[in-house]
Amino acid sequence: MAIAAITGGGRRPPCRRGPAAVAPPARFSCRCGTHPVPRRNVLSTMLSTSTVILFGSKQITLAEITGATFREYIDTFDGYSFLYPKSWIQVRGAGADIFFRDPFVLDENMSVEISSPSSSKYVTVEDLGPPEKAAERVLQQYLTEFMSTRLGVRRTSNILSASSKVADDGKLYYEVEVNIKSFASNNELAVMPQDRVQRLEWDRRYLSVLGVENKRLYELRLQSPEQVFKEEEGDLRRVMDSFRVNKTLSEARCGDLGIPNNGSHQFRVRARFH
């Protein structure tokens, strides 16, 4: 992403006015009293902003409401949007379409995965079967990604919930929650069994929201350590509730013109301010 800086023109003539009055230095103070400041608000600013960023042919919008805890991420090229905690940072090269994480708790993060347009022709999220079957698929995908070649590693998993909902956009979404625990031994090569005791490495909650649009399957993924999840469940569930899949501009124009959208038509995408 190229960044251009605009500077002033030629040299200005020297100013012949009298010396300007010097303003007293500005002061900023924050009175918190006895109320603790939430960790997530430490890096937050109280400004209302809306920023459009261009990545090649892809444009996204980041919108923020004054004093809010969340920012809104809108991807008009791939067709989805969601809220995310304003103190979270974007991580590039993570393999997902978009990836954010908590800068304080690195195991707490979120991402969006999208199926390939050339290999998937989804019509509705019900193509995955009922929510319970979709949950089994989600869990198996997590376990496959977490496979380890280390000796003595053991994973336990449990599907906590699987449900469906119709959001305010009139579309059907599946919501899945699973828990995965990892156990390992620090001395797996020990001779005596009592020296090969497995201990808990990590205990995490995984939340997924599945939706279908543009003949593609979208999945919002949230990961949080269980102890952190207990403290921030409200915020994480709000992120889940905010996830929406939207018709892309190219899909909408192809449909209006009666042209099959096979990827051979290119349209300019403009992000809207919110």
Side-chain angles (χ1 to χ4, degrees):
M1 178 174 64
I3 302 177
I6 301 177
T7 59
R11 182 185 302 176
R12 295 184 177 180
C15 181
R16 301 186 182 278
R17 297 180 182 177
V22 178
R27 295 183 178 182
F28 174 80
S29 63
C30 177
R31 291 182 172 270
C32 299
T34 59
H35 301 285
V37 179
R39 170 175 58 82
R40 185 158 283 159
N41 294 339
V42 172
L43 299 179
S44 300
T45 57
M46 303 298 290
L47 299 176
S48 176
T49 62
S50 184
T51 307
V52 175
I53 305 176
L54 175 64
F55 297 97
S57 61
K58 179 172 180 175
Q59 292 187 358
I60 59 94
T61 300
L62 302 179
E64 178 182 334
I65 303 173
T66 301
T69 309
F70 299 90
R71 287 192 177 100
E72 185 176 21
Y73 182 93
I74 305 171
D75 188 330
T76 56
F77 184 83
D78 286 313
Y80 64 88
S81 63
F82 57 83
L83 298 178
Y84 69 97
K86 64 189 295 185
S87 63
W88 286 23
I89 59 175
Q90 183 177 350
V91 179
R92 306 189 189 282
D97 193 70
I98 189 68
F99 187 97
F100 288 94
R101 77 178 182 193
D102 189 321
F104 303 102
V105 182
L106 302 186
D107 278 349
E108 190 175 27
N109 56 61
M110 65 179 296
S111 62
V112 173
E113 302 278 353
I114 312 174
S115 64
S116 170
S118 60
S119 61
S120 63
K121 300 296 180 183
Y122 291 94
V123 177
T124 172
V125 71
E126 292 178 303
D127 291 345
L128 300 174
E132 295 76 15
K133 186 175 181 180
E136 294 175 0
R137 169 178 171 161
V138 168
L139 177 58
Q140 187 57 47
Q141 181 64 31
Y142 279 125
L143 293 177
T144 300
E145 293 174 3
F146 297 148
M147 288 182 64
S148 175
T149 57
R150 290 183 300 153
L151 295 175
V153 174
R154 178 172 58 92
R155 302 275 161 77
T156 63
S157 60
N158 184 31
I159 297 176
L160 303 179
S161 68
S163 60
S164 62
K165 71 171 185 179
V166 177
D168 55 10
D169 59 358
K171 297 171 185 171
L172 182 67
Y173 295 85
Y174 283 175
E175 294 184 345
V176 175
E177 294 186 36
V178 302
N179 170 265
I180 302 177
K181 295 180 176 66
S182 178
F183 299 86
S185 171
N186 292 330
N187 194 19
E188 186 58 29
L189 298 178
V191 176
M192 303 303 293
Q194 61 268 25
D195 295 329
R196 300 195 299 267
V197 178
Q198 289 185 328
R199 293 178 173 82
L200 181 66
E201 279 189 310
W202 46 261
D203 181 9
R204 297 172 185 160
R205 179 77 60 101
Y206 294 91
L207 313 171
S208 290
V209 183
L210 304 166
V212 168
E213 187 59 272
N214 308 304
K215 300 179 182 179
R216 305 173 73 181
L217 176 65
Y218 296 75
E219 181 182 2
L220 173 73
R221 291 179 162 196
L222 282 160
Q223 170 186 301
S224 176
E226 281 288 352
Q227 289 298 324
V228 177
F229 178 80
K230 294 176 182 178
E231 300 174 2
E232 303 182 355
E233 180 177 359
D235 286 352
L236 297 178
R237 293 202 182 280
R238 183 172 180 188
V239 173
M240 288 183 68
D241 292 340
S242 71
F243 184 60
R244 297 290 183 271
V245 294
N246 312 301
K247 191 172 292 294
T248 60
L249 185 57
S250 60
E251 187 74 25
R253 289 188 177 180
C254 282
D256 293 341
L257 298 175
I259 303 173
N261 187 10
N262 54 15
S264 62
H265 308 282
Q266 298 293 327
F267 298 101
R268 181 174 175 81
V269 179
R270 300 183 65 87
R272 295 181 300 171
F273 285 93
H274 281 239

